[in-house]
Amino acid sequence: MYNNTFGHLLRLTTFGESHGIAIGGVIDGFPANIVIDYQFIQRELDRRKPGQSKITTARKESDKVEFLSGIFEGKTTGCPIGFEIRNTNQHSSDYEEMRHRYRPSHADYTYTQKYGFRDHRGGGRSSARETACRVVGGAIAKLALKQLGIKITAYTSQVGALKLNKSYKELDFEHIEQEATRCPDPTMAPKMESLISEIKEKGDTIGGVISCVIAHCPIGLGQPIFGRLGAQLAQAMLSINAAKGFDYGEGFSGLEMLGSEQKDCFENRDGKIRTQTNHSGGIQGGISNGEDIYFRVAFKPIATLLMEQKTVDINGNETSITARGRHDPCVLPRAVPIVEAMAAMTILDNYLLDKASRL
Amino acid sequence: MYNNTFGHLLRLTTFGESHGIAIGGVIDGFPANIVIDYQFIQRELDRRKPGQSKITTARKESDKVEFLSGIFEGKTTGCPIGFEIRNTNQHSSDYEEMRHRYRPSHADYTYTQKYGFRDHRGGGRSSARETACRVVGGAIAKLALKQLGIKITAYTSQVGALKLNKSYKELDFEHIEQEATRCPDPTMAPKMESLISEIKEKGDTIGGVISCVIAHCPIGLGQPIFGRLGAQLAQAMLSINAAKGFDYGEGFSGLEMLGSEQKDCFENRDGKIRTQTNHSGGIQGGISNGEDIYFRVAFKPIATLLMEQKTVDINGNETSITARGRHDPCVLPRAVPIVEAMAAMTILDNYLLDKASRL
Amino acid sequence: MYNNTFGHLLRLTTFGESHGIAIGGVIDGFPANIVIDYQFIQRELDRRKPGQSKITTARKESDKVEFLSGIFEGKTTGCPIGFEIRNTNQHSSDYEEMRHRYRPSHADYTYTQKYGFRDHRGGGRSSARETACRVVGGAIAKLALKQLGIKITAYTSQVGALKLNKSYKELDFEHIEQEATRCPDPTMAPKMESLISEIKEKGDTIGGVISCVIAHCPIGLGQPIFGRLGAQLAQAMLSINAAKGFDYGEGFSGLEMLGSEQKDCFENRDGKIRTQTNHSGGIQGGISNGEDIYFRVAFKPIATLLMEQKTVDINGNETSITARGRHDPCVLPRAVPIVEAMAAMTILDNYLLDKASRL
Amino acid sequence: MYNNTFGHLLRLTTFGESHGIAIGGVIDGFPANIVIDYQFIQRELDRRKPGQSKITTARKESDKVEFLSGIFEGKTTGCPIGFEIRNTNQHSSDYEEMRHRYRPSHADYTYTQKYGFRDHRGGGRSSARETACRVVGGAIAKLALKQLGIKITAYTSQVGALKLNKSYKELDFEHIEQEATRCPDPTMAPKMESLISEIKEKGDTIGGVISCVIAHCPIGLGQPIFGRLGAQLAQAMLSINAAKGFDYGEGFSGLEMLGSEQKDCFENRDGKIRTQTNHSGGIQGGISNGEDIYFRVAFKPIATLLMEQKTVDINGNETSITARGRHDPCVLPRAVPIVEAMAAMTILDNYLLDKASRL
């Protein structure tokens, strides 16, 4: 779990810049003998790719993944799975202005300070294009989770001030993919879509919240103390571009409730020990308890505005910059599969870690 | 960063149960030649220890730390710093009832499922007593950060519905330690204290928010992609007992602001590149930008209620349980030094990591 | 696997200096529900402790280990096992001369260069006293390996030019502990003992080889590519003080044999796939194949000579030094349990890693 | 340091099978601002590639590396360097017989047992083809080491019973690349070459020793205790295909010398503290002392014999197998750059680790 590698036993290492030759990665520690469903993996990538609807960027990227190793006659071999996605639709000239100027609230300045210089084209390594590799890793992880009966579903639950005040249990998850916003609520979704369109027209951007539910997670996952399952999910989610907050269970929302109102009493339900309520969000003492795990991720409005902004150049002279490029007014719809991917890798990693905790 | 070890280059490994012989730890990778201020370390521990005020548990623990290695003639040697805190004031009989019953919303059930059985006394390993070791690690880290001019300050900013709606810049940090609640606002602090006293009387518990500010953090800390500084802080904070949420910069609170309202334009201030505003919370592209880092941690009301609760026993029979023991009605005041400790270790670890990123 | 921590899933972190307050460690990732045999652990420590026979140092150390956590009602809990051995018989004044002078072929100079200064007393952290903690970790690991039917046996096979030219299969392992040299061959053992006594009288030291056999190792352990089982064992063994070489299977000895002479043909023996010969030393492609794993570790003569040696002081002035202290003329007999301990931890770690390689 | 990843701060992750689409890797943690000399990297790869001389395999592989990321305008950016080498000259039909039979002394059986099945073509992941990726990583590391003035040189010092009994100081390293054997001694080299040719004609194979020298290594590299520099080099070297032994300094060869004969006394040479002799091999207490580091790696004769061998098939039936394919009679000449590559990455990794050990 360091630098460009995510995970402990299941590990994804990614590489690649927005306007370089290719992005890609290596998935290591993945179990052998899992059948690879290439169409499923591509569908997951398609959920993340730009140009899906009127409210996402018009940028076209085919995002075709090529697997280079680790799969033999359709099944994983236990050896590392190398893959790449060639970059094909780069308009690097859109970014020439960025070579000598720092875009506000982007990584331009901090990368330059840390590394001495940077690949300025399209944000280079700091571009969210990198997350396509996470979606590949997550899709592969989902193939294993499916065999374990674990299901992960994310959806848009807030855009700006428009907040869906419903429990995930009241929602029809089948409806998520039918909405450009990936908000499954048929009343809220069109409102969110209108708001995003409006913001887009102004060249502005807007943030929001993605909610995620992990159903049928086995009991016992998580490394109590520093690797509490909630802590691992927090780290996974906050590693996504533009993510600024995370909570699970009642989180920030339940602070007005007392301990007596948030307790999850145990009961014997049909011979199984279950909690009557699930304020804890499926994790107790850092370990999954078999109930649904649910959490929220806050995303800021992304910083690429199609309007003039004050800034400085690399010599410290004050100047201004206007993004050209093709950008999303709201990252939430495309971030939904990324949240799922990070959750999928975290859960599979912890499933393997848990196996190794017994003789 | 795995199991009972926190950090990459600076690493704290902790051990020990609430009612065992001792808790303790090993701090590895700490730089040589740092003078150890034992009084400072003990003062930090005293800030966390129980029995400090009327609103914390009446439990008495002296929490005297003994250093066993890694320090020679008052200075660190670069070798691992082993330490221990002997347990002295355990009333294990208070917990006999827990041996065969699961306390609701505690780790009793999940530990038993994961490991097959558990040390039930005082919550065993899942007890927040373990965090005393983190405070030791954090205090040691602070000694190094002090040489670097980095300052970390946490305080209580919300208890239940009582929310301090002020920027940290408006607060007098010198006042924090004068309040039992560790809320520095002289108007809000007594209200919070009254609320906690009230809750305590009922045998109930209450949660809230701790805010934290890291001042004078050097530019360039953080491992972009999976180890974004915000992601590392999130993991560090969510690893604390009862923590359920984390955000930094505008986080969950700023979702109603558009991108044009949240942007941090660069300016040249006295020859230095600075941002005009700091919505980003001092981190851009996962890397510190030299501005103040600020974040919030949400803590749920702890689950130990001094009232009867329904539950099941280890055979799955429905029963009830009433906590005896001596508990905190609100963990926030004592969690303040823990939040600081985790932040201090995270920042020092990243300082060392950053050094290694250049030849 | 970094700094003072050994292992991936099963991890031993050690701390402590030769003349500090205590040495100790934390064993993390050890499976729950293993019964702890305290007498066995102490016996293992006694095999390593000084003063066992006329050919080891006269230094007396009781080396009593105290377990501080991770064990409840006689069984491991899955939580970290903290332990310590208090230092009791230190003659620090023996080492005052070393404060300002570097002993030849010791770590005095390199530690000072790396860390700026050092705890000079008894070699500080670089003392082989640290290996007592490894023996504790190894003893705990052996308790788990015993349940798996895996047996690890090391013995002295060479002292100086006295080389035991017999396969381990010709030896009676039961005889090892009856010899002060821990060489099980009744003809060779007394010769080795005489040689060591002779060397000791001169204040000189002598090296040699420890051989080790791992019997009944399950098939499939090892992480091919960088974590080949042989590579992990090499790292484990070369991390022991004074170890300078490692080989397994035919190793350096078989270089005169051709491929056609070293091949291990497969056969079906009583329904099991086995190799007819075992030139490979039980590891093929980096993975255990179910045959006996056997390897050798070369130990140099230790550098502490009871005679005057030329050296420099910390200011670079040429001077001389004569060790006082109490030292071993030959580390091999006491290193036998250390080799076994490192092997035991490596094998158990890889057993757990292997479990995690399947869904 | 786990599975397909090598290193701590500088990390190489490799992927790919012998007869798959491509092999490749990701180099992470490499410092920014290092100029990439593509010709040098390709030359290093050419030193490893098959078909260089009459005594290596006739197999032709162009082994052209393509860099996919992490380099911008000719310099490293501090971001991960992804690269790949497409497989182009695979004769998979040569290996059809291996699908159902286990080649003796190969990884066929152990991979099948560990993972349930395997890519049998050309040995799949267990093929030494993977080491081309290590040479890429090593070549990149050498570019940084060059800036630090550190030089790594390996050469063939033994083939079968033909052993070069000279110190590395007596050899002309400039001559290494002029010999097909990579033995720099003009008397020994032709003898070795004749021996290998003879062995090749018989369809047999032969092993030997590669020696390596690291000159101008800074003082202070290595993590004492488990990460002693010698232990790290041992692990690095034993992770190479067919490597079975490692020693450094006097190693196995110096066991007949007493401590008084092996000591390295310090002296003040021109104002610098140096050792008069270098029996220690440049490492003391696990830390480099500024003298030359030298070590040996033993390679077994590889198992691919062009003669019939007894074995079993995957159902356990006894049968026989005759390798077809195109193989090396002796891996040593081509393993020389691999040994250097692993050493280069180990030293650069430890250089970065050492930087991070001070505030």
Side-chain angles (χ1 to χ4, degrees), chain A residues 257-260, chain B residues 199-200 203-207 301-305 328-330:
Chain A
M257 294 163 75
L258 297 182
S260 57
Chain B
I199 296 296
K200 189 187 176 186
D204 212 331
T205 60
I206 195 163
I302 59 157
T304 306
L305 307 173
D328 285 290
C330 178

Side-chain angles (χ1 to χ4, degrees), chain C residues 134-147:
Chain C
R134 307 185 185 203
V135 172
V136 174
I140 298 264
K142 281 180 179 181
L143 293 173
L145 293 182
K146 203 178 172 185
Q147 294 198 9

Side-chain angles (χ1 to χ4, degrees), chain B residues 34-344:
Chain B
I34 308 289
V35 174
I36 291 298
D37 179 340
Y38 292 103
Q39 288 190 320
F40 170 74
I41 297 167
Q42 192 59 52
R43 270 203 309 276
E44 289 289 285
L45 270 173
D46 291 347
R47 291 173 72 207
R48 195 213 72 98
K49 83 171 176 191
Q52 295 173 60
S53 76
K54 282 178 301 180
I55 59 167
T56 60
T57 170
R59 202 168 61 244
K60 297 276 180 225
E61 287 161 3
S62 63
D63 283 357
K64 294 296 273 186
V65 63
E66 181 184 24
F67 289 98
L68 304 172
S69 68
I71 303 167
F72 182 58
E73 300 183 340
K75 291 188 299 179
T76 57
T77 60
C79 298
I81 301 168
F83 65 88
E84 65 173 38
I85 301 169
R86 293 267 159 173
N87 289 328
T88 54
N89 189 251
Q90 276 56 45
H91 294 193
S92 299
S93 56
D94 282 357
Y95 297 89
E96 195 54 33
E97 196 183 23
M98 287 161 54
R99 184 190 277 268
H100 302 296
R101 299 179 201 190
Y102 299 128
R103 289 171 301 165
S105 293
H106 274 87
D108 299 350
Y109 174 65
T110 51
Y111 267 66
T112 306
Q113 292 295 309
K114 188 175 184 75
Y115 299 116
F117 82 122
R118 74 195 142 93
D119 178 353
H120 66 280
R121 301 165 304 161
R125 181 69 179 152
S126 74
S127 163
R129 179 146 180 73
E130 181 267 343
T131 57
C133 300
R134 306 185 184 203
V135 171
V136 174
I140 299 263
K142 281 180 179 179
L143 293 173
L145 293 182
K146 202 177 173 185
Q147 294 198 9
L148 300 168
I150 303 169
K151 189 156 177 47
I152 296 174
T153 312
Y155 59 94
T156 300
S157 60
Q158 183 174 347
V159 173
L162 294 173
K163 190 173 174 177
L164 183 62
N165 282 312
K166 287 182 180 172
S167 156
Y168 67 88
K169 297 190 176 176
E170 303 167 60
L171 303 173
D172 176 11
F173 284 177
E174 299 300 315
H175 195 67
I176 295 169
E177 290 303 307
Q178 295 166 37
E179 295 287 350
T181 55
R182 291 204 164 88
C183 171
D185 187 76
T187 313
M188 182 57 89
K191 288 184 198 166
M192 287 176 172
E193 193 168 342
S194 300
L195 177 59
I196 296 171
S197 294
E198 202 180 294
I199 296 296
K200 189 187 176 186
E201 212 135 304
K202 294 185 198 158
D204 212 331
T205 60
I206 195 163
V209 172
I210 290 175
S211 294
C212 185
V213 182
I214 304 169
H216 310 303
C217 182
I219 304 173
L221 307 199
Q223 307 168 56
I225 309 308
F226 298 114
R228 280 174 158 84
L229 193 53
Q232 291 189 56
L233 286 167
Q235 196 261 330
M237 297 306 146
L238 268 291
S239 80
I240 302 173
N241 306 46
K244 301 293 275 191
F246 169 91
D247 64 6
Y248 73 100
E250 295 291 347
F252 280 101
S253 309
L255 296 179
E256 302 187 13
M257 296 162 75
L258 298 182
S260 58
E261 295 165 313
Q262 279 209 29
K263 68 175 192 283
D264 291 321
C265 288
F266 289 107
E267 64 178 12
N268 186 324
R269 208 184 305 161
D270 307 324
K272 280 193 179 150
I273 295 176
R274 300 288 301 273
T275 59
Q276 291 175 342
T277 48
N278 186 17
H279 300 292
S280 304
I283 302 172
Q284 291 178 329
I287 303 170
S288 62
N289 68 355
E291 307 297 326
D292 290 343
I293 295 170
Y294 59 94
F295 60 84
R296 298 188 307 153
V297 189
F299 288 86
K300 69 167 186 176
I302 59 157
T304 306
L305 307 173
L306 301 180
M307 46 181 80
E308 193 179 31
Q309 294 179 271
K310 293 192 187 241
T311 190
V312 296
D313 64 22
I314 57 173
N315 300 314
N317 300 314
E318 299 194 342
T319 178
S320 71
I321 195 166
T322 307
R324 259 171 278 271
R326 293 154 298 171
H327 303 283
D328 285 290
C330 178
V331 294
L332 295 168
R334 292 179 54 208
V336 161
I338 304 167
V339 164
E340 287 181 7
M342 296 307 295

Side-chain angles (χ1 to χ4, degrees), chain D residues 3 25 39 83 101-102 142 144 147 173 187 196 205-206 210 234 248 286 303 339 355:
Chain D
N3 234 346
Q39 288 190 321
F83 65 88
R101 298 180 202 190
Y102 300 128
K142 281 181 178 179
Q147 294 198 11
F173 285 176
T187 314
I196 297 172
T205 61
I206 195 163
I210 290 176
Y248 72 101
V339 165
K355 276 198 68 173

